[in-house]
Amino acid sequence: MKSLKALLAGIALAALTVPALVAGAANAADYKAEYKLSTVLGKPFPWGVGGDRWAELVKEKTGGRINIKMYPGTSLVNGDQTKEFTALRQGTIDMAVGSTINWSPQVKELNLFSLPFLMPDHKALDALTQGEVGKTLFDLLATKDVVPLAWGENGFREISNSKHPIRTPADLKGMKIRVVGSPLYLDTFTALGANPTQMSWADAQPALSTGAVDGQENPLAIFVAAKLATLGQKNLTLWGYVADPLIFVVNKEVWASWSKEDQEAVRAAAVQAAAEEVAISRKGITAEDDSLLKEITAQGVEVVRLTPEEQKAFQTATQPVFDKWTKQIGPDLVKAAQSAIAARK
């Protein structure tokens, strides 16, 4: 009798389980064999490390149901960084760890982080990305065919050149500076008397090597990983004029194709990978740990640290640019950002 009851119970359990397994198989069948993740930089840059880590964590947290391959160098859009967000919206790219700078031509509000001298330090940046301003920007992105999941960080952008130390706006006069493809950057460097030249990162390195351009602006982690000191960049000025947050996102249709369980796994993986990536991007450049700066100095680079008065001169020179772009970004958003920064701990 017991064995009969056990048999019947087993049949009942199988009846309940089989449909579930079939449904699971159907869901798995809808998944792509590989999802394409776009980044501008690969390893060993923090940006690439973050993207690689996200892919690793997603595979782990979904039990291998979602497999991601990272495509650095924005190779999915032939290296054109400014086309990445459009390709993401169209589904050519499934996922991305993207720069607010590169996506700003399509999402003007993301220019907020490129307003010259808006954010004085990492706490100010965190006040924006981890507060109401960050939520507002994520809500906006969510209306543009993507699902934003977490904030990463490329870092504060410092300026280097092959000519001479930069301490005043006059030191930039006529200097050819490589900038990303953003009109705001053109306006900023034009206001400082420089000759800004737009080019992709892939083109920037040989241009620096040959002297086709004199200088560039990038976070210190990129300065070291790209070995810019070997490309004639022997003068580095720490001015922290803008920061470049990264955003971990998924194409909206791709996101909708996943089960709720896998969506939460991908989100958790993004949050974890982003936190790890931010920590890497800040390593060695803080008051508590300046090991990266020491490494740069050891490479024969003259590092200039601006005094508050010297930095004020650059801020004054770029104030008209700040005012012009505040109107385009949205005065209310800029005001909210300024309030959040002022209230930071």
Side-chain angles (χ1 to χ4, degrees):
M1 188 63 128
K2 269 188 178 182
S3 59
L4 179 60
K5 284 184 178 179
L7 178 62
L8 291 173
I11 292 171
L13 179 62
L16 290 171
T17 305
V18 169
L21 288 173
V22 171
N27 286 338
D30 291 338
Y31 284 19
K32 295 182 182 181
E34 175 189 290
Y35 292 90
K36 296 177 180 178
L37 168 62
S38 177
T39 62
V40 171
L41 298 174
K43 298 164 73 174
F45 298 94
W47 195 334
V49 172
D52 189 68
R53 181 63 171 148
W54 188 20
E56 180 183 72
L57 287 168
V58 166
K59 185 173 184 178
E60 175 187 310
K61 291 178 183 295
T62 64
R65 288 186 298 277
I66 297 176
N67 293 287
I68 300 167
K69 182 177 179 180
M70 188 171 76
Y71 289 81
T74 42
S75 56
L76 296 172
V77 285
N78 298 315
D80 190 339
Q81 299 162 216
T82 60
K83 291 182 178 178
E84 184 181 57
F85 189 72
T86 298
L88 184 63
R89 295 187 70 181
Q90 294 172 342
T92 306
I93 295 171
D94 299 312
M95 312 163 72
V97 179
S99 161
T100 53
I101 299 171
N102 294 333
W103 294 357
S104 62
Q106 288 81 38
V107 187
K108 63 180 174 47
E109 290 83 0
L110 293 180
N111 282 297
L112 174 73
F113 300 101
S114 295
L115 284 174
F117 303 101
L118 170 66
M119 299 162 289
D121 50 37
H122 284 122
K123 287 184 178 180
L125 177 56
D126 290 342
L128 300 188
T129 59
Q130 306 307 312
E132 289 303 315
V133 169
K135 290 177 184 176
T136 297
L137 291 171
F138 269 21
D139 288 345
L140 175 65
L141 285 169
T143 68
K144 298 183 182 295
D145 309 312
V146 300
V147 179
L149 302 176
W151 290 97
E153 186 174 307
N154 194 22
F156 277 90
R157 303 177 74 90
E158 315 295 2
I159 189 166
S160 69
N161 78 95
S162 60
K163 297 296 185 182
H164 52 247
I166 296 173
R167 289 187 177 278
T168 70
D171 294 327
L172 270 165
K173 188 173 182 180
M175 197 177 285
K176 292 181 181 178
I177 304 294
R178 176 266 173 179
V179 296
V180 293
S182 163
L184 175 45
Y185 283 74
L186 289 177
D187 285 353
T188 297
F189 280 90
T190 298
L192 292 169
N195 179 13
T197 304
Q198 288 185 352
M199 60 178 67
S200 70
W201 181 240
D203 292 333
Q205 294 175 82
L208 291 167
S209 179
T210 60
V213 293
D214 303 314
Q216 62 83 53
E217 45 78 61
N218 255 310
L220 295 178
I222 290 180
F223 187 94
V224 172
K227 300 179 180 178
L228 294 185
T230 66
L231 302 181
Q233 299 298 289
K234 294 296 186 180
N235 301 284
L236 175 66
T237 295
L238 306 181
W239 64 341
Y241 81 122
V242 300
D244 181 15
L246 303 177
I247 308 176
F248 289 62
V249 303
V250 178
N251 168 275
K252 192 173 183 179
E253 288 187 4
V254 169
W255 180 262
S257 73
W258 294 335
S259 69
K260 294 293 183 185
E261 177 189 2
D262 285 338
Q263 287 176 353
E264 289 314 305
V266 172
R267 184 188 301 276
V271 170
Q272 182 178 339
E276 292 177 11
E277 191 276 332
V278 169
I280 294 170
S281 72
R282 295 183 184 183
K283 187 177 180 181
I285 59 172
T286 63
E288 297 77 23
D289 172 21
D290 63 352
S291 55
L292 196 66
L293 282 166
K294 287 177 180 175
E295 181 180 339
I296 292 171
T297 302
Q299 294 171 357
V301 177
E302 182 176 347
V303 179
V304 172
R305 299 172 187 264
L306 297 182
T307 66
E309 292 75 20
E310 288 172 331
Q311 189 182 55
K312 184 66 177 177
F314 286 95
Q315 187 173 2
T316 300
T318 56
Q319 188 62 47
V321 177
F322 190 107
D323 295 340
K324 171 188 173 181
W325 279 87
T326 291
K327 295 174 184 176
Q328 297 190 38
I329 295 165
D332 289 344
L333 181 60
V334 174
K335 186 176 180 180
Q338 290 173 320
S339 296
I341 291 169
R344 75 189 185 283
K345 295 181 181 179

